[in-house]
Amino acid sequence: EPEVTQTPSHQVTQMGQEVILRCVPISNHLYFYWYRQILGQKVEFLVSFYNNEISEKSEIFDDQFSVERPDGSNFTLKIRSTKLEDSAMYFCASSETQGKAHGYTFGSGTRLTVV
Amino acid sequence: GENVEQHPSTLSVQEGDSAVIKCTYSDSASNYFPWYKQELGKRPQLIIDIRSNVGEKKDQRIAVTLNKTAKHFSLHITETQPEDSAVYFCAATPNSGGSNYKLTFGKGTLLTVNP
């Protein structure tokens, strides 16, 4: 079964440093997403991306966040200057089409720890 | 925007008993309601979903019901087994127009099935 792949699985970074979280969506999928989950809390939408541009973003996704699809396979989330409260599990997801339920697949996540 | 409330936050049952988890949503435009199971440290995995044109859907021991008028939907697990122990999240999305299939999650229910 096709998977969404995320690297690294765990990243520790100093406060104020930049981090890049990487994702390889399923190859025929067109819509890409980032979600985050603070420990013990619910999964929260950050941003959706389609046709090489952001289609929607949440209030969490402020100026310190950016996303990019640098090539035909990778989808990255950059946090420019990390804060302690950015510590969370970050999930990438992709879907085949806007309305295709079973095409919505989450990656295994990157646990980001900001110290 | 959409707001999803989920109850209970924790649920403990004996093996073989049934478990019911309930969610309410606020946006009457929501028309797709997936349920995810998340084991500790792992990705959310879709276990069942329901669309607004259906009132009930069943898949073996798992069923979901939807009441659009009351804006609530429920997950029912029968004959629970220890391996059903996990956090369960409900979610909702309008899945139309420019929403790009953004999921709004409930806060999760920690289900513990005692042998």
Side-chain angles (χ1 to χ4, degrees), chain A residues 37-39 83-90 112-115:
Chain A
Q37 185 178 31
I38 295 171
L39 186 64
K83 303 190 282 276
L84 294 177
E85 53 265 38
D86 293 328
S87 296
M89 184 74 104
Y90 288 81
L112 176 66
T113 303
V114 182
V115 297

Side-chain angles (χ1 to χ4, degrees), chain A residues 18-104:
Chain A
E18 175 183 285
V19 294
I20 297 176
L21 310 184
R22 302 180 191 280
C23 170
V24 179
I26 294 173
S27 61
N28 64 333
H29 284 188
L30 302 175
Y31 295 83
F32 314 117
Y33 314 83
W34 283 100
Y35 286 79
R36 81 169 185 193
Q37 185 178 31
I38 295 171
L39 186 64
Q41 298 187 24
K42 66 178 174 181
V43 179
E44 299 175 290
F45 171 78
L46 290 178
V47 64
S48 60
F49 191 88
Y50 171 69
N51 200 25
N52 284 320
E53 61 182 24
I54 290 173
S55 45
E56 189 171 357
K57 59 183 180 181
S58 73
E59 57 197 26
I60 301 169
F61 193 89
D62 60 22
D63 291 344
Q64 69 162 341
F65 291 92
S66 62
V67 289
E68 194 177 32
R69 188 153 163 83
D71 52 42
S73 60
N74 289 285
F75 178 52
T76 61
L77 174 69
K78 182 192 290 186
I79 310 175
R80 266 181 267 283
S81 177
T82 50
K83 303 190 282 276
L84 294 177
E85 53 265 38
D86 293 328
S87 296
M89 184 74 104
Y90 288 81
F91 291 103
C92 173
S94 67
S95 64
E96 186 174 351
T97 66
Q98 193 167 335
K100 196 94 179 266
H102 291 285
Y104 203 110

